[in-house]
Amino acid sequence: YYGCLRGTPFRWLDVSRLASLLLPRDHRVGRVRYFTARFGQRPGNLDAPTRQDTYLRALATIPNLTITFGHFLRSETMMPLAKPLPDGTKYVRVVKTEEKGSDVNLASHLLLDAFRQDCDAAFVISNDSDLLEPIRIARREFGLAVGIGCPHERVSRALLREAGFVRKIRRGPLRASQFPPVLIDAGGRITKPATW
């Protein structure tokens, strides 16, 4: 999500609709699994958790969608500067945040679905080569067709070799896959964040 949509006007994304547009014609979306982590406030982006909660509520209006949560780790660490400062400073202390668990959760559910023969095909929206082995196992050991939706300009070479099909995620399908500006759920109105 982040790698594909950062800096675009398409963050109010209906992921089920996007998958429907990207899949080959002989496939249909039966279920969507969304993997994420809740993040806290960040300096300069204090409203991020509120926007994320709003988006998660919007996603929950999709009947065939489940959300599985990992977590964020926040740490302070010393990192080298690309170019030392005029005063000779070569390192700075930075706040580093890492999403943890989402890739493992995705891989686990992919393999579980393949083992249970719970789907005819899987469409993984990621360009993370860490998913190569679970995709390989799902395809070779369980005979599951696995396609890749690539959110970046270049497709991982490792995933490209193992995927049954690859779809680059372009602006047209992103534009056509936006939620309406206002949705309704049991809690009331869900309004697209103003900054999106």
Side-chain angles (χ1 to χ4, degrees), residues 2 22 38 40 63 69 82 88 94 108 120-121 133 135 144 170 174 186:
Y2 183 74
L22 294 176
R38 290 190 184 276
F69 290 97
V94 298
S108 298
D120 297 324
E133 189 63 10
I135 290 170
L144 183 66
R170 302 198 189 278
L174 289 172

Side-chain angles (χ1 to χ4, degrees), residues 14-17 20 28-34 59-67:
D14 178 338
V15 292
S16 182
R17 174 80 177 131
S20 294
R28 68 172 186 79
V29 176
R31 175 181 52 237
V32 177
R33 296 189 187 277
Y34 187 81
L59 286 176
T61 66
I62 300 172
N64 61 344
L65 182 135
T66 58
I67 300 172

Side-chain angles (χ1 to χ4, degrees), residues 10 19 24 41 48 51 76 82 95 102 117 130 132 176 178 196:
F10 306 124
Q41 289 182 337
R51 287 192 305 270
E76 290 186 20
V95 175
S102 293
Q117 298 179 346
D130 287 349
L132 176 63
Q178 297 298 293
W196 285 11

Side-chain angles (χ1 to χ4, degrees), residues 1-69:
Y1 179 86
Y2 183 74
C4 183
L5 300 174
R6 176 184 52 191
T8 75
F10 306 124
R11 290 181 279 178
W12 196 234
L13 183 65
D14 178 338
V15 292
S16 182
R17 174 80 177 131
L18 178 66
S20 294
L21 292 174
L22 294 176
L23 286 172
R25 294 185 192 271
D26 59 337
H27 290 71
R28 68 172 186 79
V29 176
R31 175 181 52 237
V32 177
R33 296 189 187 277
Y34 187 81
F35 301 92
T36 191
R38 290 190 184 276
F39 47 83
Q41 289 182 337
R42 296 176 181 173
N45 198 359
L46 299 178
D47 293 333
T50 302
R51 287 192 305 270
Q52 184 187 36
D53 287 343
T54 301
Y55 183 61
L56 293 174
R57 275 186 65 200
L59 286 176
T61 66
I62 300 172
N64 61 344
L65 182 135
T66 58
I67 300 172
T68 302
F69 290 97

Side-chain angles (χ1 to χ4, degrees), residues 2-3 33 41 60 83 96-97 101 107 124 135 147 166:
Y2 183 74
R33 296 189 187 277
Q41 289 182 337
K83 293 182 181 179
K96 186 176 177 183
T97 56
V124 177
I135 290 170
V166 174

